[in-house]
Amino acid sequence: MPSRANPRRSCHVRRTRVAPPRPDIEALSPLRDWQRRALVTYLRRRSEDFLAVATPGAGKTTFALRIAAELILDGTVDAVTVVTPTEHLKVQWERAAARAGIALDSGFRNSDVHTSSDFHGVVLTYAQVGMAPDVHRRRTMTRKTLVILDEIHHAGDSRSWGDGVRSAFEPAVRRLMLTGTPFRSDENPIPFVQYEQLGGGVSKSRSDTTYGYADALSDNVVRPVIFLAYSGETRWRNSAGDELAARLGEPLTQDLIAQAWRTALDPKGDWMPQVLRAADARLQIVRSGGMSDAAGLVIASDQNNARAYAKLLHLVTGEKPVVVLSDDPGASKKIAEFAESDERWMVAVRMVSEGVDIPRLAVGVYATSASTPLFFAQAIGRFVRARRPGETASVFLPSVPNLLELASDMEVQRDHVLGDVKKKDEDVLLAERAERSEKASGELEQTFTALSATAELDQVIYDGASWGTPVQSGSQEEEDYLGLPGLLTPDQVSVLLAKRQAEQVKAARRSTPAAVEPVAPRQPAAPRTPAERRILLRRQLNDLVGAHHHRTNQPHGKIHAELRRLCGGPPSAQATIEQLEERIATLQSW
């Protein structure tokens, strides 16, 4: 009779557990100074919860994977769970972990219940955890687990997400929280984040290690960002049939700003084609000046605008850009292919606003009406990742107060504050103010028809300082700013912007000498419009700041910051005539 297989042996073979590979620490990128300091702090404390705040592009993923490898190798944990905001980031984490010998399953579904034994763990989204927290709680209890919560502030986006994350990962041996933007404008507590009491019922989030944009810039870890703010005349018709006009960049009520902003972003007007043409000219300079693979990204408000902007870019450049939409099942693949390609432009809505790693992005067009500090920081974070010294980033944006203030305050580090709004610190109040809309009148309704919009370069913002005065789109003065070399150190950026501004002022003096006569503080000026007065005062303030820089060698941004501290008020881009006059008088007294 033929022999029969031993059923016990067959069963034994099927039950053999396949062990995942051992992590390879040497395969990870060498640690930067901040990562090394943070790792020492982490290993010394050995606490259950650890919050690392580091600016986008600083290397949070490498830092977290190094900790995961250390804890697996020393037996502290034998499983890893990573939670991210988006599906695309799941794949990005899986690939980064694989390079370090840490096997993570980004395809895990809640219905799978258990993880395959040849993986160290899984990568999930916050939404996935919120849908089935009990499934992930059981997984967490089964094995000694390190949970990495990427961009942890998203756990406060909804009650179900926050409660789900807390319930699912409370049994974890270790929890590592990562974020580049730890602040929120609401009061939903972020799970596992420690809050310290400030008194009066107010508390602030406390991080265990912090590495801000200013630190990263001085270490050449991130790129300096040059903001090119475009104003222009806009016209639209409201639902009552009345035609209205306003100029971006001028002091307006919040409802007028919103309508003018939306009119400027209308793809059927002239503002967007002019700005896209300028952005592409900047991209060509960057590509020919040392970043041959540099790419641009247009961030749109919605899918219809994204498709329309893509058509405009095709007309401007002669090349079809990559379009990434959130409901496109191949979106993640498109982003990955674009990151490795030599294609010039991508248009997206919110798919590329946070966490997506495309290091060659160097030029951006902020063509969205989103104005919260959180979204702005996430969006600008896509352009700051440096690959080698000298790379710069250029972001084109509408000249509206919220965005100009956020651009001027790039280096401000904010935290999440809970408690009485009246007792919160100034930075948090500024963040919340951007979330609200102050309706000054009921004359404008939501429905309106954009009629026309034209663009002009209003100012350049760098290191908290405003440079230049308004120039027409397509003019030689605009080309001078667009033509800044693509490879510059932060100091060289300031020097060249100062030189461009000096040349601009000198040319203005030759053409209209009376227009640049000094404006005496608090004295009646010659009859001119408020817009013209603000332009002259901004120019005079910038001249005085430049002169003070040459006397003291202080950076322009620090001089502007000191004037704001002494006189109060917003950055000079949004300052009133009275505030500009006060700063001029203060600087003249130094």
Side-chain angles (χ1 to χ4, degrees):
M1 292 181 64
S3 60
R4 299 175 61 185
N6 186 327
R8 289 188 177 182
R9 180 176 177 80
S10 299
C11 183
H12 175 71
V13 170
R14 284 197 300 271
R15 289 179 180 174
T16 300
R17 184 177 180 85
V18 179
R22 285 177 61 80
D24 181 6
I25 289 178
E26 297 300 322
L28 286 168
S29 301
L31 294 183
R32 293 167 174 159
D33 288 343
W34 84 263
Q35 294 167 324
R36 191 176 300 107
R37 292 193 299 269
L39 177 64
V40 170
T41 300
Y42 182 90
L43 295 177
R44 186 177 68 247
R45 291 185 184 178
R46 297 278 175 176
S47 56
E48 289 183 357
D49 296 308
F50 191 93
L51 173 60
V53 176
T55 187
K60 292 185 292 293
T61 301
T62 297
F63 169 68
L65 290 174
R66 174 60 183 268
I67 287 178
E70 295 278 0
L71 296 184
I72 292 172
L73 290 173
D74 69 14
T76 301
V77 304
D78 48 35
V80 177
T81 296
V82 179
V83 189
T84 74
T86 66
E87 287 287 334
H88 175 75
L89 290 179
K90 289 169 61 175
V91 178
Q92 197 165 290
W93 268 95
E94 178 187 26
R95 291 174 178 170
R99 291 193 289 270
I102 300 175
L104 300 178
D105 182 8
S106 66
F108 181 86
R109 296 292 176 261
N110 291 345
S111 57
D112 295 340
V113 181
H114 299 293
T115 314
S116 173
S117 61
D118 50 359
F119 288 98
H120 288 102
V122 300
V123 192
L124 314 166
T125 63
Y126 286 103
Q128 191 175 349
V129 174
M131 290 169 58
D134 290 344
V135 169
H136 302 291
R137 183 180 180 89
R138 286 193 295 270
R139 288 185 48 260
T140 305
M141 295 176 67
T142 302
R143 303 168 69 185
K144 294 185 298 182
T145 302
L146 163 68
V147 178
I148 300 173
L149 297 161
D150 188 23
E151 304 298 350
I152 180 62
H153 53 272
H154 281 285
D157 281 354
S158 70
R159 182 76 178 263
S160 63
W161 287 19
D163 291 348
V165 165
R166 190 176 297 280
S167 173
F169 304 123
E170 196 173 27
V173 173
R174 295 289 180 86
R175 289 174 293 266
L176 174 61
M177 286 82 74
L178 308 173
T179 182
T181 48
F183 54 92
R184 297 182 60 84
S185 58
D186 57 35
E187 295 197 21
N188 293 333
I190 303 173
F192 306 120
V193 169
Q194 301 297 312
Y195 289 84
E196 58 186 13
Q197 295 298 318
L198 301 181
V202 179
S203 56
K204 179 187 288 188
S205 60
R206 179 177 58 79
S207 61
D208 297 284
T209 185
T210 301
Y211 187 65
Y213 175 78
D215 298 325
L217 189 61
S218 64
D219 291 343
N220 295 316
V221 170
V222 295
R223 298 171 181 152
V225 181
I226 304 167
F227 292 96
L228 296 101
Y230 276 73
S231 60
E233 300 293 337
T234 62
R235 293 176 53 251
W236 68 93
R237 183 182 295 112
N238 64 16
S239 60
D242 299 325
E243 288 193 14
L244 299 167
R247 179 180 175 81
L248 284 178
E250 295 303 319
L252 301 169
T253 60
Q254 287 296 322
D255 46 7
L256 281 171
I257 289 172
Q259 299 286 354
W261 189 351
R262 290 177 62 187
T263 301
L265 296 182
D266 180 19
K268 296 187 292 293
D270 291 328
W271 195 92
M272 276 302 300
Q274 290 169 347
V275 171
L276 289 175
R277 194 173 294 112
D280 187 63
R282 178 65 186 149
L283 181 60
Q284 292 181 51
I285 292 293
V286 173
R287 287 174 74 100
S288 63
M291 293 177 64
S292 59
D293 64 341
L297 169 66
V298 179
I299 302 176
S301 293
D302 55 52
Q303 296 189 3
N304 289 334
N305 277 352
R307 294 187 182 96
Y309 295 159
K311 291 179 181 179
L312 291 177
L313 269 174
H314 188 195
L315 292 175
V316 168
T317 67
E319 300 177 17
K320 287 187 176 181
V322 174
V323 181
V324 179
L325 305 176
S326 56
D327 60 358
D328 182 354
S332 293
K333 183 180 179 182
K334 280 185 177 180
I335 293 173
E337 290 176 347
F338 182 80
E340 299 299 325
S341 74
D342 192 45
E343 292 181 278
R344 291 167 60 191
W345 280 100
M346 173 187 282
V347 183
V349 185
R350 289 178 179 262
M351 279 293 293
V352 197
S353 66
E354 182 177 54
V356 174
D357 184 11
I358 309 177
R360 67 191 191 92
L361 284 179
V363 176
V365 178
Y366 194 91
T368 172
S369 56
S371 62
T372 66
L374 182 61
F375 183 85
F376 186 84
Q378 293 166 353
I380 303 307
R382 300 314 98 220
F383 304 96
V384 302
R385 187 183 300 274
R387 298 174 298 179
R388 58 177 174 144
E391 292 184 341
T392 62
S394 303
V395 177
F396 293 71
L397 73 169
S399 186
V400 294
N402 287 351
L403 299 185
L404 297 179
E405 188 157 0
L406 293 171
S408 298
D409 289 339
M410 263 285 287
E411 299 184 10
V412 172
Q413 184 67 45
R414 298 184 176 94
D415 297 299
H416 187 210
V417 175
L418 306 177
D420 186 354
V421 175
K422 295 179 181 177
K423 297 178 181 177
K424 293 180 181 179
D425 62 40
E426 182 181 357
D427 287 336
V428 177
L429 289 174
L430 288 173
E432 292 182 342
R433 196 175 302 150
E435 298 275 7
R436 298 194 297 267
S437 175
E438 298 173 3
K439 290 295 181 181
S441 68
E443 297 177 358
L444 293 179
E445 298 181 15
Q446 289 300 313
T447 56
F448 77 106
T449 302
L451 298 178
S452 66
T454 59
E456 65 178 43
L457 179 57
D458 182 39
Q459 60 187 295
V460 177
I461 297 175
Y462 175 69
D463 192 25
S466 171
W467 304 85
T469 54
V471 296
Q472 290 296 320
S473 177
S475 65
Q476 181 59 51
E477 291 90 343
E478 181 195 41
E479 290 182 15
D480 289 341
Y481 285 105
L482 298 179
L484 291 171
L487 295 179
L488 292 170
T489 66
D491 288 341
Q492 288 173 333
V493 174
S494 295
V495 169
L496 281 179
L497 286 175
K499 182 180 178 183
R500 292 286 190 275
Q501 179 173 275
E503 292 169 349
Q504 186 182 9
V505 171
K506 190 180 296 182
R509 283 176 178 154
R510 285 197 301 266
S511 59
T512 54
V516 292
E517 292 176 1
V519 179
R522 313 277 187 185
Q523 297 298 318
R528 56 171 64 96
T529 68
E532 291 172 335
R533 288 185 63 196
R534 287 183 73 248
I535 290 172
L536 293 176
L537 289 169
R538 272 174 40 197
R539 180 184 299 161
Q540 184 182 2
L541 177 61
N542 288 339
D543 282 350
L544 290 171
V545 168
H548 191 73
H549 160 74
H550 287 299
R551 287 197 306 271
T552 64
N553 206 30
Q554 277 187 291
H556 290 73
K558 286 190 176 180
I559 301 171
H560 279 283
E562 180 63 13
L563 288 171
R564 285 180 63 190
R565 188 187 69 80
L566 293 172
C567 303
S572 58
Q574 301 90 53
T576 65
I577 289 174
E578 185 177 357
Q579 289 167 335
L580 290 170
E581 289 175 340
E582 184 178 0
R583 292 178 196 182
I584 288 170
T586 301
L587 190 51
Q588 287 174 332
S589 68
W590 287 0

